[in-house]
Amino acid sequence: MNLASTTSAGATGPSSWVLVVAAVLVSGLLLAGPALRRRYPVAWWFLLGFPVVAFRVVQTWRPLMAGCGLAVSRRPALTVVSGLVGNGAPPPQPRVPPRGLIRPTSGGFVLLVRLLPGQVPEDFVKAAPAMAEDWQVHAVRVTSWKPGVVRIVASAADPLAAPRIPRQRGPGHLLRVTVGALETGAAWVVDLRRVPHWLIVGATRSGKSTLINALVAGLAPQPVALVGIDCKGGMELSLYEPRLSALATSREEAVRLLAALVDLTLDRMTVCRAARVRNIWGLPDKERPVPVVVIVDELAELFLVASRSEKDEAQAAGTALIRLAQLGAALGVFLVVAGQRVGSDLGPGVTALRAQLGGRVCHRVADPGTAEMALGDLNPDALKAAQAITPEQAGTAVLASGDGWERARSHLITEADAEAVAAEHAHLTPVLSELHVEAP
């Protein structure tokens, strides 16, 4: 009898210690939670925040789906009623959309949901606010993952409130720059090799210039040529002049510079054809020409006309930009076109150019036509999100491409920071003699 009691006590002893240790660890985490959240928000999320929210998702999934009209009865209504009356059986549980694993991210979580017959992704998009409310998270976004499956991305807090500049680990990739943070908490990366041409729009003090500062600051240390076109007398892009291989500050200069860039592109085409390669990346490293990033600030200044001579200049500038957009990606010439107001009223050349600019960034704009020009042809949901940006959300933008859309915010790179970066890397400025064209 005593032996049995001893054996029983020995068997339960270790499990009791495990429970005690677990309780102590949990209590310690709860007590240290506020400090941990302030200093190490990502660690706090993985240790405490995510387990709580994941438990909440599991517990509320069935009632949430039923409340949002996303649950389906397993049997027709008449069969259910007859079964209740005849047999006194409880009603069958409704069938809910099956969800996959809840996978944590650095500031939220992701899960995939398979649609039931008759459901469409828009049904889940409408339920996103209810999901955020029930799960007590900042925001929920629903997108189509593949036919029959939607992807739910939840953000525990607003990652755009104070985006942090990530640490640079090792040398960066050519023509790839981290400029801010996405709403999902991931880094906002502009990769010109993947999406070669960009349109950036935004009203005054919306964050457009800050984004360009971040982009130039990231490209300045790289072996690329930066070319500026700023028809407002160079007020914006002259900050980077020590790092620019060429700068046009009037429309007349811009037309000559763009024509020279087209000639440079055609020369590279001849080189690639002679080497029997389809783009400059197929050339040997020693023979590959330097990539050129052309930054156009205030596109409207190139297209607005007041006389016949200005009309000819505007048409020449628009035609050159379209040719660069069509040919440049394969030949190492990339476009970043920015403006406060970009609309079809500026002329048919703007619409034709817009079609060639696969990447779009829309900050807060002063007129709906500019947002429509930037995002309307890509995604109506992105357009609605851009129109909802308030003046207090400076730096916040909606970016879209053929891959989808995201809300994002650029890092705060001031004019002084941009000027310092340009001066620091002035020695890396390539000399492109082809771009120095004298006035006739």
Side-chain angles (χ1 to χ4, degrees):
M1 184 69 179
N2 292 335
L3 180 60
S5 300
T6 304
T7 304
S8 176
T12 59
S15 61
S16 299
W17 277 108
V18 169
L19 291 176
V20 171
V21 172
V24 171
L25 288 176
V26 171
S27 300
L29 286 174
L30 290 175
L31 292 174
L36 184 65
R37 186 173 189 176
R38 286 193 302 270
R39 297 192 62 182
Y40 305 102
V42 176
W44 173 89
W45 169 247
F46 282 111
L47 290 173
L48 289 175
F50 173 71
V52 173
V53 174
F55 178 77
R56 197 176 293 142
V57 172
V58 173
Q59 289 295 106
T60 62
W61 184 254
R62 180 174 291 277
L64 176 61
M65 293 295 100
C68 294
L70 297 174
V72 178
S73 175
R74 294 181 182 274
R75 293 192 291 176
L78 291 177
T79 304
V80 172
V81 172
S82 63
L84 289 175
V85 173
N87 303 320
Q93 288 291 327
R95 184 184 178 193
V96 298
R99 56 172 175 78
L101 293 176
I102 306 172
R103 294 174 294 162
T105 62
S106 59
F109 64 86
V110 177
L111 64 93
L112 300 180
V113 179
R114 184 169 295 279
L115 307 184
L116 296 176
Q119 293 181 338
V120 294
E122 287 72 18
D123 298 333
F124 287 80
V125 172
K126 294 177 183 177
M131 296 178 192
E133 189 69 25
D134 274 25
W135 300 337
Q136 299 178 28
V137 295
H138 168 69
V140 170
R141 261 195 63 199
V142 180
T143 56
S144 179
W145 181 249
K146 63 180 182 179
V149 179
V150 294
R151 182 172 184 257
I152 296 177
V153 180
S155 301
D158 186 3
L160 305 186
R164 296 174 298 163
I165 300 178
R167 295 179 180 177
Q168 184 73 29
R169 297 181 179 179
H173 296 281
L174 183 66
L175 297 169
R176 192 170 186 265
V177 178
T178 299
V179 296
L182 301 177
E183 189 176 33
T184 59
W188 175 9
V189 177
V190 174
D191 189 346
L192 296 177
R193 290 285 302 273
R194 190 174 66 86
V195 182
H197 307 308
W198 287 81
L199 173 65
I200 303 173
V201 299
T204 302
R205 299 187 181 279
S206 66
K208 174 173 59 68
S209 297
T210 301
L211 173 57
I212 295 176
N213 288 346
L215 184 61
V216 172
L219 290 172
Q222 299 186 22
V224 301
L226 301 177
V227 173
I229 296 177
D230 182 1
C231 293
K232 293 188 298 182
M235 290 191 301
E236 297 287 341
L237 300 186
S238 60
L239 294 173
Y240 323 123
E241 192 163 8
R243 185 58 181 84
L244 298 179
S245 295
L247 174 64
T249 59
S250 67
R251 182 158 53 191
E252 183 181 359
E253 293 179 0
V255 171
R256 293 198 300 270
L257 179 55
L258 288 169
L261 284 165
V262 171
D263 290 341
L264 176 146
T265 305
L266 295 177
D267 291 342
R268 294 184 174 188
M269 184 185 297
T270 302
V271 172
C272 290
R273 187 166 56 244
R276 304 183 67 82
V277 295
R278 301 182 65 178
N279 52 57
I280 66 166
W281 311 110
L283 296 171
D285 292 346
K286 294 182 179 180
E287 299 178 15
R288 184 181 304 138
V290 62
V292 180
V293 181
V294 183
I295 303 171
V296 181
D297 191 70
E298 202 47 66
L299 181 66
E301 293 295 326
L302 279 177
F303 284 88
L304 287 174
V305 297
S307 64
R308 176 64 183 177
S309 61
E310 289 187 349
K311 183 176 180 180
D312 293 339
E313 284 183 350
Q315 186 174 358
T319 301
L321 279 173
I322 293 171
R323 293 195 71 187
L324 289 175
Q326 289 174 335
L327 303 173
L331 300 169
V333 179
F334 308 92
L335 294 180
V336 178
V337 179
Q340 293 185 31
R341 188 179 68 84
V342 180
S344 57
D345 58 312
L346 296 178
V350 174
T351 304
L353 175 62
R354 186 274 306 266
Q356 300 293 331
L357 305 177
R360 315 284 177 79
V361 179
C362 183
H363 297 82
R364 177 182 58 83
V365 293
D367 63 295
T370 298
E372 177 72 31
M373 175 63 74
L375 303 173
D377 63 323
L378 291 182
N379 194 299
D381 292 334
L383 177 60
K384 294 177 184 178
Q387 292 171 334
I389 299 174
T390 64
E392 293 75 25
Q393 296 174 306
T396 301
V398 172
L399 58 122
S401 65
D403 298 333
W405 68 277
E406 297 277 0
R407 287 181 76 249
R409 186 176 182 182
S410 56
H411 297 313
L412 179 59
I413 306 295
T414 64
E415 294 179 355
D417 295 334
E419 196 167 7
V421 170
E424 179 184 355
H425 298 94
H427 63 285
L428 298 177
T429 305
V431 177
L432 300 179
S433 57
E434 309 97 303
L435 304 185
H436 296 280
V437 182
E438 299 295 332

